[in-house]
Amino acid sequence: MRRGSIVRMVIYGVLAGTVASLIAVLIPWLPPSASEQMDRIEFTFWFTTVICIGIFAIVAAIITYCVLKFRAAPDDERDGPPVHGHTGLEIVWTAVPAVLVTAISVVSAIVLAKNDDAGDNPLRVGVTAQQFAWAFDYPNEDGEPLRSGELVLPVNRPVKLTLHAQDVIHSFWVPEFGQKSDAVPGIETTLAITPTKVGSFSVVCTELCGLGHATMRAAVTVVNEQDYQAFLERLAAGPAAEPGQGGDTGEEIFTATGCGSCHAFEPAGTDAQVGPPLDDLAGAAENAGLDLEAFIHESIVDPEKRLAEGFQGDVMPKTYDRSLTDEQLDALVQYLVEGQRG
Ligand code: CUA
């Protein structure tokens, strides 16, 4: 091969590689990392991307060179030369990709194994998913776990999440943490996360779980150890600590249960329209021949019994008589009764 040809091919390769690199680097393909696991996922991503850019540059250079150099004249009707393979070349283009693909799978396997390992003494937090809300249970030495509607995690400490679903399949994902796992009814799945940045993030449900799926989010806050202890104390001190946290007042239950994901209710400041609005239920109760309190109670535990006009059935979970205690249910009913207009 002449030196001129090699120089031209190198130029095409550098151009193609530069364009591909700019596309890879200038577009923010991944969210900024906020966990050790996401750092490893990023490493795997870039390891693979660099290999791909290299292969792309070589292939693009050879194709461009050949298309320009060996182009046939428009009136050239002759057959091409009878070329018959090249054993050396075939060995190279089989062996090199085999080595690269093996390297990618080894790196991926190591990252998967490490990302699944929360170490010997992780902080254990239970995650419960239901249409369309998340709840988080913190271990409590003196009894029942402490429930929160917000996930608060100490920075730089390995956490092991145990995921449960109450109704259908949901999926737990915090983009900045990288890790993702389904929450499946009847089984327990786990997820290891070691947050590395103090800040606020969101849990996003990534499994289509019903009409309110898009609204199924919860706040995640990563704090320093001191703030984490303060959070635990607030949680242990009981309800009314902070909005969005689990508790026993009607408003807290409304928020933690995710009612606002589907229903408009002025006192709670929600305006979703998946289900009927809850601000003016007197008429509906009268039609049902029930007093307001009984009607609201029935609508929560047995939503299919009387469907509001213009709304379809099989949307609202039928699990609230099991997922809420009697006291919580009463508090929620009272909250709705007191929030009626007029
Ligand atoms: Cu839960 Cu989508």
Side-chain angles (χ1 to χ4, degrees):
M1 210 192 271
R2 287 185 300 107
R3 240 183 83 206
S5 310
I6 294 175
V7 171
R8 274 172 66 185
M9 259 194 267
V10 169
I11 292 173
Y12 299 147
V14 169
L15 282 176
T18 307
V19 171
S21 303
L22 288 177
I23 292 173
V25 173
L26 293 184
I27 299 175
W29 298 101
L30 298 177
S33 171
S35 79
E36 275 179 18
Q37 289 75 15
M38 184 63 181
D39 290 346
R40 295 191 195 106
I41 292 170
E42 266 187 351
F43 174 80
T44 316
F45 176 83
W46 287 113
F47 180 77
T48 311
T49 303
V50 167
I51 290 174
C52 291
I53 290 174
I55 301 274
F56 171 74
I58 293 169
V59 171
I62 294 173
I63 289 179
T64 311
Y65 177 81
C66 292
V67 164
L68 296 176
K69 168 96 178 175
F70 304 114
R71 187 176 35 184
D75 57 348
D76 183 354
E77 301 283 320
R78 288 172 303 156
D79 287 342
V83 179
H84 215 278
H86 187 297
T87 309
L89 202 56
E90 284 176 20
I91 289 174
V92 170
W93 76 39
T94 306
V96 172
V99 170
L100 294 178
V101 171
T102 308
I104 292 173
S105 58
V106 169
V107 168
S108 305
I110 293 172
V111 167
L112 275 175
K114 283 194 167 182
N115 275 5
D116 219 19
D117 181 12
D120 294 333
N121 186 26
L123 167 67
R124 289 172 190 276
V125 180
V127 178
T128 302
Q130 64 169 313
Q131 291 168 318
F132 300 100
W134 299 97
F136 307 97
D137 290 311
Y138 288 80
N140 177 16
E141 277 152 28
D142 352 293
E144 287 278 289
L146 300 166
R147 178 156 280 205
S148 165
E150 182 191 12
L151 181 59
V152 177
L153 299 174
V155 72
N156 293 329
R157 169 143 178 225
V159 180
K160 185 153 199 169
L161 302 177
T162 309
L163 312 178
H164 302 269
Q166 299 227 343
D167 33 43
V168 298
I169 302 177
H170 303 270
S171 186
F172 178 99
W173 186 46
V174 177
E176 292 83 355
F177 292 165
Q179 300 281 70
K180 185 199 269 184
S181 180
D182 281 4
V184 183
I187 66 170
E188 197 179 277
T189 50
T190 60
L191 205 57
I193 292 169
T194 310
T196 50
K197 281 200 190 107
V198 170
S200 297
F201 311 98
S202 272
V203 183
V204 183
C205 179
T206 59
E207 186 72 56
L208 185 59
C209 54
L211 275 185
H213 159 69
T215 62
M216 187 168 164
R217 292 176 174 239
V220 184
T221 315
V222 178
V223 296
N224 61 33
E225 185 61 36
Q226 200 183 342
D227 289 350
Y228 177 67
Q229 292 305 334
F231 159 77
L232 284 184
E233 274 161 35
R234 273 203 313 274
L235 203 56
E242 262 181 32
Q245 285 183 7
D248 296 316
T249 72
E251 185 177 4
E252 284 162 343
I253 295 160
F254 186 91
T255 306
T257 312
C259 307
S261 299
C262 293
H263 295 282
F265 188 51
E266 226 174 72
T270 63
D271 58 1
Q273 290 175 11
V274 175
L278 306 176
D279 290 301
D280 197 358
L281 297 171
E286 207 177 302
N287 285 345
L290 293 170
D291 70 49
L292 191 59
E293 212 172 295
F295 173 72
I296 292 175
H297 187 278
E298 179 193 272
S299 302
I300 295 171
V301 298
D302 191 2
E304 302 292 302
K305 193 160 174 187
R306 298 171 221 273
L307 286 175
E309 206 175 320
F311 294 91
Q312 63 188 85
D314 253 345
V315 174
M316 181 160 156
K318 300 170 202 64
T319 48
Y320 293 126
D321 55 339
R322 280 179 282 129
S323 61
L324 298 175
T325 64
D326 287 348
E327 294 77 41
Q328 287 176 320
L329 208 47
D330 289 343
L332 184 57
V333 171
Q334 278 314 314
Y335 175 60
L336 286 161
V337 169
E338 282 156 22
Q340 295 301 302
R341 278 196 202 117

